[in-house]
Amino acid sequence: MPQVYKLISTDSHIMEPHDLWKTGVDPKYQARAPIVVQEDEVNYWFCDGKRLPRASGGKVVEDPRDKKFGRDWKEPRKGGWLPEEKIMDMDMDGVWGEVIYPTAGVYLFYVPDSGVFTASARRFNNW
């Protein structure tokens, strides 16, 4: 009898909504939590007043379910941020499981203030 293998992706990513940290962050750190700031027509993630490295967000969209991204994005699949769409993408690709990494969230480790980091990471994990 042939062995059946399950395909597991070990390098999948999600895309954080641009307004993820506008709510749900400890009020003490809300003003220092990650935000998207536009510079030279490109949007970048900032946290605690510092731009996060390599974490650009292209053009901000209010509702990624209905609109296209600008710049280098060509109609990204909704599975990048919607769990039910992620499951459909996995089924389509024959993927049984994934190890999922953040996009902007991974750069929170560059935030030196432990309070801002903890509050921001907690919000990300709850999302």
Short mmCIF file of all heavy atoms in Angstrom, two decimals, residues 10-57:
data_model
loop_
_atom_site.label_atom_id
_atom_site.label_comp_id
_atom_site.label_asym_id
_atom_site.label_seq_id
_atom_site.Cartn_x
_atom_site.Cartn_y
_atom_site.Cartn_z
N THR A 10 6.50 25.45 5.16
CA THR A 10 7.24 25.93 6.33
C THR A 10 7.65 27.39 6.21
O THR A 10 8.43 27.88 7.02
CB THR A 10 8.50 25.07 6.56
OG1 THR A 10 9.34 25.17 5.41
CG2 THR A 10 8.13 23.64 6.84
N ASP A 11 7.12 28.09 5.21
CA ASP A 11 7.49 29.50 5.05
C ASP A 11 6.33 30.27 4.42
O ASP A 11 6.45 30.83 3.33
CB ASP A 11 8.74 29.64 4.19
CG ASP A 11 9.31 31.05 4.24
OD1 ASP A 11 8.87 31.86 5.08
OD2 ASP A 11 10.19 31.36 3.42
N SER A 12 5.21 30.31 5.12
CA SER A 12 4.05 31.07 4.65
C SER A 12 3.98 32.38 5.43
O SER A 12 4.47 32.47 6.56
CB SER A 12 2.77 30.27 4.87
OG SER A 12 2.78 29.11 4.08
N HIS A 13 3.37 33.39 4.82
CA HIS A 13 3.28 34.70 5.46
C HIS A 13 1.86 35.21 5.43
O HIS A 13 1.06 34.83 4.59
CB HIS A 13 4.19 35.71 4.74
CG HIS A 13 5.63 35.44 4.95
ND1 HIS A 13 6.38 36.09 5.90
CD2 HIS A 13 6.47 34.56 4.35
CE1 HIS A 13 7.61 35.63 5.87
NE2 HIS A 13 7.69 34.69 4.94
N ILE A 14 1.58 36.10 6.36
CA ILE A 14 0.31 36.82 6.39
C ILE A 14 0.61 38.29 6.20
O ILE A 14 1.74 38.73 6.38
CB ILE A 14 -0.46 36.59 7.70
CG1 ILE A 14 0.41 36.96 8.90
CG2 ILE A 14 -0.97 35.18 7.80
CD1 ILE A 14 -0.33 37.02 10.19
N MET A 15 -0.40 39.06 5.84
CA MET A 15 -0.25 40.51 5.69
C MET A 15 -1.12 41.18 6.74
O MET A 15 -2.34 40.99 6.74
CB MET A 15 -0.68 40.95 4.29
CG MET A 15 0.20 40.41 3.19
SD MET A 15 -0.32 40.94 1.55
CE MET A 15 -1.78 39.93 1.29
N GLU A 16 -0.50 41.94 7.59
CA GLU A 16 -1.25 42.62 8.63
C GLU A 16 -2.06 43.78 8.03
O GLU A 16 -1.55 44.52 7.20
CB GLU A 16 -0.30 43.20 9.69
CG GLU A 16 0.48 42.17 10.44
CD GLU A 16 1.77 41.73 9.74
OE1 GLU A 16 1.99 42.10 8.57
OE2 GLU A 16 2.55 41.03 10.37
N PRO A 17 -3.31 43.94 8.47
CA PRO A 17 -4.09 45.11 8.03
C PRO A 17 -3.40 46.38 8.51
O PRO A 17 -2.82 46.40 9.60
CB PRO A 17 -5.44 44.93 8.73
CG PRO A 17 -5.50 43.51 9.14
CD PRO A 17 -4.08 43.06 9.35
N HIS A 18 -3.47 47.43 7.72
CA HIS A 18 -2.78 48.67 8.07
C HIS A 18 -3.29 49.29 9.37
O HIS A 18 -2.60 50.06 10.01
CB HIS A 18 -2.85 49.69 6.93
CG HIS A 18 -4.20 50.31 6.77
ND1 HIS A 18 -5.24 49.68 6.12
CD2 HIS A 18 -4.68 51.49 7.18
CE1 HIS A 18 -6.30 50.46 6.14
NE2 HIS A 18 -5.98 51.56 6.77
N ASP A 19 -4.50 48.95 9.77
CA ASP A 19 -5.06 49.53 10.98
C ASP A 19 -5.07 48.55 12.16
O ASP A 19 -5.76 48.78 13.15
CB ASP A 19 -6.47 50.04 10.70
CG ASP A 19 -7.42 48.95 10.23
OD1 ASP A 19 -6.96 47.80 9.96
OD2 ASP A 19 -8.62 49.23 10.13
N LEU A 20 -4.29 47.48 12.06
CA LEU A 20 -4.31 46.44 13.09
C LEU A 20 -4.07 47.00 14.49
O LEU A 20 -4.73 46.61 15.44
CB LEU A 20 -3.24 45.38 12.78
CG LEU A 20 -3.08 44.27 13.82
CD1 LEU A 20 -4.37 43.45 13.93
CD2 LEU A 20 -1.91 43.38 13.46
N TRP A 21 -3.12 47.91 14.63
CA TRP A 21 -2.75 48.40 15.96
C TRP A 21 -3.48 49.68 16.36
O TRP A 21 -3.14 50.29 17.37
CB TRP A 21 -1.23 48.61 16.03
CG TRP A 21 -0.49 47.31 16.08
CD1 TRP A 21 -0.28 46.54 17.18
CD2 TRP A 21 0.13 46.63 15.00
NE1 TRP A 21 0.45 45.42 16.84
CE2 TRP A 21 0.71 45.45 15.50
CE3 TRP A 21 0.27 46.89 13.64
CZ2 TRP A 21 1.41 44.54 14.72
CZ3 TRP A 21 0.97 45.99 12.85
CH2 TRP A 21 1.52 44.83 13.40
N LYS A 22 -4.50 50.08 15.60
CA LYS A 22 -5.26 51.28 15.99
C LYS A 22 -6.19 50.98 17.16
O LYS A 22 -6.65 51.89 17.84
CB LYS A 22 -6.06 51.81 14.81
CG LYS A 22 -5.20 52.52 13.80
CD LYS A 22 -6.03 53.17 12.72
CE LYS A 22 -5.15 53.90 11.75
NZ LYS A 22 -5.91 54.54 10.68
N THR A 23 -6.50 49.72 17.37
CA THR A 23 -7.37 49.32 18.49
C THR A 23 -6.74 48.12 19.18
O THR A 23 -5.89 47.43 18.62
CB THR A 23 -8.78 48.92 18.00
OG1 THR A 23 -8.65 47.81 17.11
CG2 THR A 23 -9.48 50.07 17.30
N GLY A 24 -7.16 47.87 20.39
CA GLY A 24 -6.75 46.67 21.09
C GLY A 24 -5.37 46.71 21.71
O GLY A 24 -4.89 45.71 22.23
N VAL A 25 -4.70 47.86 21.66
CA VAL A 25 -3.38 48.01 22.28
C VAL A 25 -3.59 48.71 23.62
O VAL A 25 -4.43 49.61 23.73
CB VAL A 25 -2.44 48.84 21.38
CG1 VAL A 25 -1.12 49.13 22.07
CG2 VAL A 25 -2.21 48.14 20.06
N ASP A 26 -2.82 48.30 24.62
CA ASP A 26 -2.88 48.95 25.92
C ASP A 26 -2.85 50.47 25.71
O ASP A 26 -1.95 50.99 25.05
CB ASP A 26 -1.66 48.51 26.75
CG ASP A 26 -1.62 49.10 28.15
OD1 ASP A 26 -2.24 50.15 28.40
OD2 ASP A 26 -0.94 48.50 28.99
N PRO A 27 -3.86 51.20 26.22
CA PRO A 27 -3.93 52.65 26.00
C PRO A 27 -2.65 53.40 26.36
O PRO A 27 -2.33 54.41 25.75
CB PRO A 27 -5.09 53.09 26.89
CG PRO A 27 -5.94 51.88 27.05
CD PRO A 27 -4.99 50.71 27.02
N LYS A 28 -1.90 52.89 27.30
CA LYS A 28 -0.65 53.52 27.71
C LYS A 28 0.34 53.58 26.54
O LYS A 28 1.17 54.49 26.46
CB LYS A 28 -0.05 52.71 28.86
CG LYS A 28 1.28 53.18 29.37
CD LYS A 28 1.73 52.31 30.54
CE LYS A 28 3.10 52.71 31.02
NZ LYS A 28 3.55 51.88 32.14
N TYR A 29 0.25 52.63 25.60
CA TYR A 29 1.20 52.55 24.48
C TYR A 29 0.56 52.83 23.12
O TYR A 29 1.23 52.74 22.10
CB TYR A 29 1.85 51.16 24.45
CG TYR A 29 2.62 50.87 25.70
CD1 TYR A 29 2.14 49.97 26.64
CD2 TYR A 29 3.83 51.51 25.96
CE1 TYR A 29 2.84 49.69 27.80
CE2 TYR A 29 4.54 51.25 27.12
CZ TYR A 29 4.04 50.35 28.03
OH TYR A 29 4.74 50.09 29.18
N GLN A 30 -0.72 53.16 23.10
CA GLN A 30 -1.44 53.32 21.84
C GLN A 30 -0.77 54.31 20.88
O GLN A 30 -0.62 54.02 19.71
CB GLN A 30 -2.88 53.77 22.10
CG GLN A 30 -3.71 53.90 20.84
CD GLN A 30 -3.94 52.57 20.17
OE1 GLN A 30 -4.49 51.67 20.77
NE2 GLN A 30 -3.50 52.42 18.94
N ALA A 31 -0.32 55.44 21.37
CA ALA A 31 0.28 56.46 20.51
C ALA A 31 1.64 56.03 19.96
O ALA A 31 2.13 56.60 18.99
CB ALA A 31 0.44 57.78 21.27
N ARG A 32 2.23 54.99 20.55
CA ARG A 32 3.55 54.52 20.12
C ARG A 32 3.48 53.20 19.36
O ARG A 32 4.50 52.66 18.94
CB ARG A 32 4.45 54.39 21.34
CG ARG A 32 4.65 55.73 22.04
CD ARG A 32 5.26 55.60 23.41
NE ARG A 32 6.61 55.05 23.35
CZ ARG A 32 7.26 54.60 24.42
NH1 ARG A 32 6.70 54.63 25.61
NH2 ARG A 32 8.48 54.12 24.29
N ALA A 33 2.29 52.66 19.21
CA ALA A 33 2.09 51.36 18.54
C ALA A 33 2.32 51.52 17.03
O ALA A 33 2.34 52.64 16.50
CB ALA A 33 0.68 50.85 18.81
N PRO A 34 2.49 50.41 16.31
CA PRO A 34 2.74 50.49 14.87
C PRO A 34 1.63 51.21 14.10
O PRO A 34 0.45 51.03 14.38
CB PRO A 34 2.81 49.01 14.45
CG PRO A 34 3.24 48.30 15.68
CD PRO A 34 2.57 49.03 16.80
N ILE A 35 2.06 52.03 13.15
CA ILE A 35 1.14 52.74 12.25
C ILE A 35 1.78 52.77 10.86
O ILE A 35 2.98 52.55 10.71
CB ILE A 35 0.85 54.19 12.71
CG1 ILE A 35 2.15 55.00 12.79
CG2 ILE A 35 0.10 54.20 14.02
CD1 ILE A 35 1.93 56.49 12.98
N VAL A 36 0.97 53.05 9.87
CA VAL A 36 1.47 53.22 8.51
C VAL A 36 1.62 54.71 8.25
O VAL A 36 0.71 55.49 8.51
CB VAL A 36 0.51 52.59 7.48
CG1 VAL A 36 0.96 52.88 6.07
CG2 VAL A 36 0.43 51.08 7.71
N VAL A 37 2.80 55.11 7.75
CA VAL A 37 3.09 56.50 7.44
C VAL A 37 3.55 56.58 5.99
O VAL A 37 4.36 55.77 5.55
CB VAL A 37 4.20 57.07 8.37
CG1 VAL A 37 4.57 58.48 7.97
CG2 VAL A 37 3.76 57.01 9.82
N GLN A 38 3.02 57.56 5.26
CA GLN A 38 3.40 57.72 3.86
C GLN A 38 4.64 58.60 3.73
O GLN A 38 4.71 59.67 4.32
CB GLN A 38 2.26 58.34 3.05
CG GLN A 38 2.55 58.36 1.57
CD GLN A 38 1.39 58.89 0.78
OE1 GLN A 38 0.78 59.90 1.14
NE2 GLN A 38 1.07 58.21 -0.31
N GLU A 39 5.61 58.10 2.97
CA GLU A 39 6.81 58.86 2.64
C GLU A 39 7.08 58.67 1.15
O GLU A 39 7.22 57.53 0.70
CB GLU A 39 8.03 58.35 3.43
CG GLU A 39 8.01 58.69 4.89
CD GLU A 39 9.30 58.27 5.58
OE1 GLU A 39 10.10 57.52 4.99
OE2 GLU A 39 9.51 58.70 6.71
N ASP A 40 7.17 59.77 0.41
CA ASP A 40 7.47 59.69 -1.02
C ASP A 40 6.55 58.71 -1.75
O ASP A 40 6.99 57.85 -2.51
CB ASP A 40 8.93 59.29 -1.25
CG ASP A 40 9.89 60.29 -0.64
OD1 ASP A 40 9.60 61.50 -0.70
OD2 ASP A 40 10.92 59.85 -0.10
N GLU A 41 5.26 58.81 -1.49
CA GLU A 41 4.23 58.01 -2.13
C GLU A 41 4.28 56.52 -1.81
O GLU A 41 3.62 55.71 -2.45
CB GLU A 41 4.24 58.21 -3.66
CG GLU A 41 3.94 59.64 -4.07
CD GLU A 41 3.84 59.79 -5.57
OE1 GLU A 41 3.47 58.82 -6.24
OE2 GLU A 41 4.14 60.88 -6.05
N VAL A 42 5.08 56.15 -0.83
CA VAL A 42 5.13 54.75 -0.38
C VAL A 42 4.79 54.75 1.10
O VAL A 42 5.20 55.63 1.85
CB VAL A 42 6.53 54.13 -0.59
CG1 VAL A 42 6.59 52.72 -0.04
CG2 VAL A 42 6.89 54.14 -2.07
N ASN A 43 4.03 53.76 1.52
CA ASN A 43 3.65 53.66 2.92
C ASN A 43 4.57 52.69 3.64
O ASN A 43 4.85 51.60 3.15
CB ASN A 43 2.20 53.17 3.03
CG ASN A 43 1.25 54.18 2.45
OD1 ASN A 43 1.16 55.29 2.93
ND2 ASN A 43 0.55 53.81 1.41
N TYR A 44 5.04 53.11 4.81
CA TYR A 44 5.94 52.31 5.62
C TYR A 44 5.35 52.12 7.01
O TYR A 44 4.62 52.96 7.51
CB TYR A 44 7.30 53.00 5.78
CG TYR A 44 8.07 53.13 4.51
CD1 TYR A 44 7.99 54.30 3.75
CD2 TYR A 44 8.87 52.08 4.05
CE1 TYR A 44 8.70 54.41 2.57
CE2 TYR A 44 9.57 52.19 2.86
CZ TYR A 44 9.49 53.37 2.13
OH TYR A 44 10.18 53.48 0.96
N TRP A 45 5.70 51.00 7.62
CA TRP A 45 5.32 50.77 9.01
C TRP A 45 6.29 51.52 9.92
O TRP A 45 7.50 51.42 9.75
CB TRP A 45 5.39 49.28 9.34
CG TRP A 45 4.27 48.49 8.77
CD1 TRP A 45 4.29 47.72 7.64
CD2 TRP A 45 2.94 48.37 9.29
NE1 TRP A 45 3.07 47.15 7.43
CE2 TRP A 45 2.23 47.53 8.43
CE3 TRP A 45 2.31 48.91 10.41
CZ2 TRP A 45 0.89 47.19 8.66
CZ3 TRP A 45 0.98 48.58 10.63
CH2 TRP A 45 0.28 47.73 9.77
N PHE A 46 5.73 52.25 10.88
CA PHE A 46 6.50 52.91 11.92
C PHE A 46 6.02 52.41 13.27
O PHE A 46 4.83 52.11 13.44
CB PHE A 46 6.30 54.44 11.87
CG PHE A 46 7.15 55.14 10.87
CD1 PHE A 46 6.85 55.08 9.51
CD2 PHE A 46 8.25 55.87 11.28
CE1 PHE A 46 7.65 55.73 8.59
CE2 PHE A 46 9.05 56.53 10.36
CZ PHE A 46 8.75 56.46 9.00
N CYS A 47 6.93 52.31 14.21
CA CYS A 47 6.57 51.95 15.57
C CYS A 47 7.45 52.74 16.51
O CYS A 47 8.67 52.79 16.33
CB CYS A 47 6.73 50.45 15.81
SG CYS A 47 6.17 49.94 17.45
N ASP A 48 6.83 53.37 17.48
CA ASP A 48 7.55 54.17 18.47
C ASP A 48 8.40 55.24 17.79
O ASP A 48 9.51 55.53 18.20
CB ASP A 48 8.40 53.30 19.38
CG ASP A 48 8.65 53.94 20.74
OD1 ASP A 48 7.99 54.95 21.06
OD2 ASP A 48 9.53 53.44 21.46
N GLY A 49 7.87 55.78 16.68
CA GLY A 49 8.54 56.87 15.98
C GLY A 49 9.65 56.44 15.03
O GLY A 49 10.30 57.28 14.42
N LYS A 50 9.89 55.14 14.88
CA LYS A 50 10.96 54.65 14.01
C LYS A 50 10.40 53.79 12.90
O LYS A 50 9.50 52.97 13.13
CB LYS A 50 11.96 53.85 14.82
CG LYS A 50 12.65 54.68 15.86
CD LYS A 50 13.67 53.87 16.62
CE LYS A 50 14.35 54.83 17.58
NZ LYS A 50 14.57 54.35 18.86
N ARG A 51 10.94 53.97 11.70
CA ARG A 51 10.51 53.15 10.57
C ARG A 51 11.04 51.73 10.73
O ARG A 51 12.22 51.53 11.02
CB ARG A 51 10.99 53.73 9.25
CG ARG A 51 10.36 53.04 8.05
CD ARG A 51 10.56 53.81 6.80
NE ARG A 51 11.82 53.41 6.19
CZ ARG A 51 12.31 53.94 5.09
NH1 ARG A 51 11.68 54.94 4.50
NH2 ARG A 51 13.44 53.53 4.60
N LEU A 52 10.16 50.77 10.59
CA LEU A 52 10.58 49.38 10.69
C LEU A 52 11.29 48.97 9.41
O LEU A 52 10.84 49.31 8.31
CB LEU A 52 9.36 48.48 10.94
CG LEU A 52 8.58 48.78 12.21
CD1 LEU A 52 7.37 47.88 12.32
CD2 LEU A 52 9.46 48.63 13.45
N PRO A 53 12.40 48.27 9.51
CA PRO A 53 13.17 47.92 8.31
C PRO A 53 12.42 46.98 7.38
O PRO A 53 11.75 46.06 7.83
CB PRO A 53 14.42 47.24 8.87
CG PRO A 53 14.02 46.75 10.21
CD PRO A 53 12.97 47.70 10.72
N ARG A 54 12.50 47.26 6.10
CA ARG A 54 11.94 46.40 5.05
C ARG A 54 10.48 46.05 5.26
O ARG A 54 10.05 44.97 4.88
CB ARG A 54 12.76 45.13 4.93
CG ARG A 54 14.19 45.38 4.54
CD ARG A 54 14.96 44.11 4.31
NE ARG A 54 14.34 43.36 3.25
CZ ARG A 54 14.15 42.04 3.28
NH1 ARG A 54 14.53 41.33 4.30
NH2 ARG A 54 13.57 41.43 2.27
N ALA A 55 9.72 46.90 5.85
CA ALA A 55 8.32 46.58 6.10
C ALA A 55 7.42 47.61 5.44
O ALA A 55 6.60 48.23 6.07
CB ALA A 55 8.05 46.51 7.59
N SER A 56 7.59 47.80 4.15
CA SER A 56 6.73 48.75 3.46
C SER A 56 5.38 48.10 3.23
O SER A 56 5.25 46.89 3.16
CB SER A 56 7.34 49.18 2.12
OG SER A 56 7.33 48.10 1.22
N GLY A 57 4.39 48.93 3.09
CA GLY A 57 3.04 48.42 2.90
C GLY A 57 2.45 48.80 1.56
O GLY A 57 1.26 48.66 1.37
#
